[in-house]
Amino acid sequence: FPSHDRERTREDSDIAELAESVFNHPRYQGYLDTQELNNVLAQYEYALIAKNIARYDSINFRPALYVALDVFPLLDFRYDPDCKGIPAEIQEKITVHSHKEIKERIAYYDAHPEEKAAVMHALKEHFKFYNFRQEWKNIINQSLRLTESALAQ
């Protein structure tokens, strides 16, 4: 074996051993595959997207996932304070600062379904859900150009 193959075999063995110990743990209850998880999440009407506690956390796909599943996202005020993932004009309608505000937002949107639908529409527009299948190459290329431009500065 070349040295990199031996290293890979050792890594694979370590991962297999770790996986086996997890699967055999008495508290292991199995897992949900992606479709099963989506089916569970889609049963909810609202979802809170809290900031992760990891030191180097960043925004992630959860808001887009919930919107794709027609689950109305509420954002913890610490999740995306610089509005890099979701524009400020949308965030001001879905950001919460406390458990009391979560209840208030839910009660408000339950009483105003047309406004809730308008926010979901704005999120779907922002995430380009309406035209992604037809325009995916252009959308990805535009995103790459913006990223390259930002990195060059």
Side-chain angles (χ1 to χ4, degrees):
F1 285 126
S3 63
H4 67 279
D5 286 344
R6 274 182 289 196
E7 190 63 34
R8 174 66 188 251
T9 302
R10 197 174 0 222
E11 287 175 13
D12 289 349
S13 173
D14 290 345
I15 290 170
E17 186 177 319
L18 176 61
E20 192 64 30
S21 71
V22 169
F23 295 146
N24 291 323
H25 193 279
R27 292 190 179 153
Y28 178 72
Q29 298 293 314
Y31 66 93
L32 295 173
D33 68 24
T34 302
Q35 189 57 54
E36 290 172 315
L37 176 61
N38 289 348
N39 291 342
V40 169
L41 293 175
Q43 296 174 21
Y44 293 94
E45 190 171 346
Y46 294 92
L48 175 64
I49 301 171
K51 181 191 181 309
N52 287 337
I53 58 172
R55 182 173 182 186
Y56 298 108
D57 185 34
S58 64
I59 58 176
N60 56 44
F61 69 95
R62 287 177 296 159
L65 172 63
Y66 291 134
V67 171
L69 297 171
D70 288 321
V71 177
F72 192 88
L74 297 172
L75 296 182
D76 172 20
F77 71 98
R78 295 165 294 194
Y79 177 75
D80 182 16
D82 298 325
C83 301
K84 294 191 182 293
I86 299 174
E89 61 272 9
I90 298 175
Q91 277 203 36
E92 67 188 20
K93 299 173 184 172
I94 62 174
T95 299
V96 293
H97 295 80
S98 67
H99 69 282
K100 180 182 176 195
E101 196 172 357
I102 294 169
K103 290 180 179 182
E104 290 170 353
R105 291 268 188 192
I106 290 172
Y108 176 82
Y109 284 118
D110 282 348
H112 300 90
E114 69 289 342
E115 290 189 41
K116 181 179 174 187
V119 172
M120 285 295 277
H121 175 73
L123 284 163
K124 287 180 180 186
E125 286 278 322
H126 170 68
F127 291 129
K128 299 179 179 12
F129 285 178
Y130 296 121
N131 63 345
F132 188 79
R133 286 191 177 144
Q134 296 80 23
E135 296 290 326
W136 67 272
K137 286 182 184 178
N138 292 335
I139 291 168
I140 291 171
N141 286 332
Q142 179 185 14
S143 179
L144 290 172
R145 282 193 299 275
L146 290 172
T147 301
E148 289 171 357
S149 174
L151 290 173
Q153 295 178 5

PDB file of all heavy atoms in Angstrom, residues 139-151:
ATOM      1  N   ILE A 139     -28.421  31.105 -11.338  1.00  0.00           N
ATOM      2  CA  ILE A 139     -28.443  31.463  -9.923  1.00  0.00           C
ATOM      3  C   ILE A 139     -27.126  31.071  -9.261  1.00  0.00           C
ATOM      4  O   ILE A 139     -26.529  31.853  -8.520  1.00  0.00           O
ATOM      5  CB  ILE A 139     -29.645  30.795  -9.224  1.00  0.00           C
ATOM      6  CG1 ILE A 139     -30.959  31.428  -9.724  1.00  0.00           C
ATOM      7  CG2 ILE A 139     -29.536  30.909  -7.708  1.00  0.00           C
ATOM      8  CD1 ILE A 139     -32.208  30.678  -9.323  1.00  0.00           C
ATOM      9  N   ILE A 140     -26.642  29.876  -9.523  1.00  0.00           N
ATOM     10  CA  ILE A 140     -25.383  29.418  -8.923  1.00  0.00           C
ATOM     11  C   ILE A 140     -24.214  30.243  -9.444  1.00  0.00           C
ATOM     12  O   ILE A 140     -23.349  30.673  -8.678  1.00  0.00           O
ATOM     13  CB  ILE A 140     -25.181  27.912  -9.170  1.00  0.00           C
ATOM     14  CG1 ILE A 140     -26.212  27.119  -8.345  1.00  0.00           C
ATOM     15  CG2 ILE A 140     -23.749  27.484  -8.833  1.00  0.00           C
ATOM     16  CD1 ILE A 140     -26.255  25.651  -8.653  1.00  0.00           C
ATOM     17  N   ASN A 141     -24.172  30.505 -10.747  1.00  0.00           N
ATOM     18  CA  ASN A 141     -23.084  31.312 -11.303  1.00  0.00           C
ATOM     19  C   ASN A 141     -23.090  32.719 -10.730  1.00  0.00           C
ATOM     20  O   ASN A 141     -22.028  33.271 -10.411  1.00  0.00           O
ATOM     21  CB  ASN A 141     -23.160  31.342 -12.828  1.00  0.00           C
ATOM     22  CG  ASN A 141     -22.720  30.032 -13.441  1.00  0.00           C
ATOM     23  OD1 ASN A 141     -21.911  29.307 -12.874  1.00  0.00           O
ATOM     24  ND2 ASN A 141     -23.263  29.712 -14.605  1.00  0.00           N
ATOM     25  N   GLN A 142     -24.260  33.322 -10.570  1.00  0.00           N
ATOM     26  CA  GLN A 142     -24.351  34.658  -9.986  1.00  0.00           C
ATOM     27  C   GLN A 142     -23.852  34.643  -8.543  1.00  0.00           C
ATOM     28  O   GLN A 142     -23.102  35.520  -8.126  1.00  0.00           O
ATOM     29  CB  GLN A 142     -25.785  35.168 -10.041  1.00  0.00           C
ATOM     30  CG  GLN A 142     -25.945  36.544  -9.432  1.00  0.00           C
ATOM     31  CD  GLN A 142     -27.397  36.989  -9.396  1.00  0.00           C
ATOM     32  OE1 GLN A 142     -28.306  36.185  -9.577  1.00  0.00           O
ATOM     33  NE2 GLN A 142     -27.604  38.261  -9.158  1.00  0.00           N
ATOM     34  N   SER A 143     -24.230  33.625  -7.801  1.00  0.00           N
ATOM     35  CA  SER A 143     -23.781  33.503  -6.418  1.00  0.00           C
ATOM     36  C   SER A 143     -22.268  33.342  -6.348  1.00  0.00           C
ATOM     37  O   SER A 143     -21.606  33.948  -5.502  1.00  0.00           O
ATOM     38  CB  SER A 143     -24.478  32.314  -5.759  1.00  0.00           C
ATOM     39  OG  SER A 143     -24.048  32.159  -4.445  1.00  0.00           O
ATOM     40  N   LEU A 144     -21.703  32.546  -7.239  1.00  0.00           N
ATOM     41  CA  LEU A 144     -20.257  32.367  -7.273  1.00  0.00           C
ATOM     42  C   LEU A 144     -19.538  33.671  -7.617  1.00  0.00           C
ATOM     43  O   LEU A 144     -18.501  33.995  -7.027  1.00  0.00           O
ATOM     44  CB  LEU A 144     -19.873  31.276  -8.274  1.00  0.00           C
ATOM     45  CG  LEU A 144     -20.245  29.851  -7.869  1.00  0.00           C
ATOM     46  CD1 LEU A 144     -19.985  28.893  -9.030  1.00  0.00           C
ATOM     47  CD2 LEU A 144     -19.483  29.422  -6.628  1.00  0.00           C
ATOM     48  N   ARG A 145     -20.091  34.419  -8.565  1.00  0.00           N
ATOM     49  CA  ARG A 145     -19.483  35.713  -8.926  1.00  0.00           C
ATOM     50  C   ARG A 145     -19.510  36.668  -7.732  1.00  0.00           C
ATOM     51  O   ARG A 145     -18.533  37.369  -7.459  1.00  0.00           O
ATOM     52  CB  ARG A 145     -20.193  36.326 -10.122  1.00  0.00           C
ATOM     53  CG  ARG A 145     -19.795  35.713 -11.459  1.00  0.00           C
ATOM     54  CD  ARG A 145     -20.278  36.535 -12.654  1.00  0.00           C
ATOM     55  NE  ARG A 145     -21.721  36.666 -12.699  1.00  0.00           N
ATOM     56  CZ  ARG A 145     -22.559  35.778 -13.236  1.00  0.00           C
ATOM     57  NH1 ARG A 145     -22.067  34.671 -13.781  1.00  0.00           N
ATOM     58  NH2 ARG A 145     -23.842  35.962 -13.231  1.00  0.00           N
ATOM     59  N   LEU A 146     -20.618  36.705  -6.998  1.00  0.00           N
ATOM     60  CA  LEU A 146     -20.713  37.575  -5.824  1.00  0.00           C
ATOM     61  C   LEU A 146     -19.707  37.153  -4.745  1.00  0.00           C
ATOM     62  O   LEU A 146     -19.077  37.990  -4.126  1.00  0.00           O
ATOM     63  CB  LEU A 146     -22.136  37.556  -5.263  1.00  0.00           C
ATOM     64  CG  LEU A 146     -23.216  38.234  -6.102  1.00  0.00           C
ATOM     65  CD1 LEU A 146     -24.602  37.963  -5.514  1.00  0.00           C
ATOM     66  CD2 LEU A 146     -22.945  39.725  -6.201  1.00  0.00           C
ATOM     67  N   THR A 147     -19.567  35.860  -4.570  1.00  0.00           N
ATOM     68  CA  THR A 147     -18.605  35.346  -3.581  1.00  0.00           C
ATOM     69  C   THR A 147     -17.181  35.699  -3.986  1.00  0.00           C
ATOM     70  O   THR A 147     -16.397  36.171  -3.181  1.00  0.00           O
ATOM     71  CB  THR A 147     -18.761  33.816  -3.436  1.00  0.00           C
ATOM     72  OG1 THR A 147     -20.094  33.527  -3.030  1.00  0.00           O
ATOM     73  CG2 THR A 147     -17.781  33.268  -2.419  1.00  0.00           C
ATOM     74  N   GLU A 148     -16.844  35.483  -5.245  1.00  0.00           N
ATOM     75  CA  GLU A 148     -15.499  35.817  -5.744  1.00  0.00           C
ATOM     76  C   GLU A 148     -15.226  37.307  -5.593  1.00  0.00           C
ATOM     77  O   GLU A 148     -14.139  37.716  -5.194  1.00  0.00           O
ATOM     78  CB  GLU A 148     -15.340  35.388  -7.187  1.00  0.00           C
ATOM     79  CG  GLU A 148     -15.262  33.893  -7.374  1.00  0.00           C
ATOM     80  CD  GLU A 148     -15.313  33.475  -8.846  1.00  0.00           C
ATOM     81  OE1 GLU A 148     -15.459  34.352  -9.729  1.00  0.00           O
ATOM     82  OE2 GLU A 148     -15.218  32.259  -9.093  1.00  0.00           O
ATOM     83  N   SER A 149     -16.215  38.118  -5.887  1.00  0.00           N
ATOM     84  CA  SER A 149     -16.075  39.562  -5.767  1.00  0.00           C
ATOM     85  C   SER A 149     -15.837  39.967  -4.309  1.00  0.00           C
ATOM     86  O   SER A 149     -14.968  40.791  -4.014  1.00  0.00           O
ATOM     87  CB  SER A 149     -17.319  40.259  -6.305  1.00  0.00           C
ATOM     88  OG  SER A 149     -17.272  41.628  -6.072  1.00  0.00           O
ATOM     89  N   ALA A 150     -16.584  39.371  -3.395  1.00  0.00           N
ATOM     90  CA  ALA A 150     -16.424  39.683  -1.976  1.00  0.00           C
ATOM     91  C   ALA A 150     -15.070  39.235  -1.471  1.00  0.00           C
ATOM     92  O   ALA A 150     -14.433  39.939  -0.676  1.00  0.00           O
ATOM     93  CB  ALA A 150     -17.538  39.033  -1.169  1.00  0.00           C
ATOM     94  N   LEU A 151     -14.583  38.088  -1.930  1.00  0.00           N
ATOM     95  CA  LEU A 151     -13.283  37.581  -1.497  1.00  0.00           C
ATOM     96  C   LEU A 151     -12.142  38.430  -2.045  1.00  0.00           C
ATOM     97  O   LEU A 151     -11.086  38.543  -1.419  1.00  0.00           O
ATOM     98  CB  LEU A 151     -13.106  36.120  -1.914  1.00  0.00           C
ATOM     99  CG  LEU A 151     -13.990  35.111  -1.175  1.00  0.00           C
ATOM    100  CD1 LEU A 151     -13.833  33.726  -1.814  1.00  0.00           C
ATOM    101  CD2 LEU A 151     -13.661  35.066   0.300  1.00  0.00           C
TER     102      LEU A 151
END
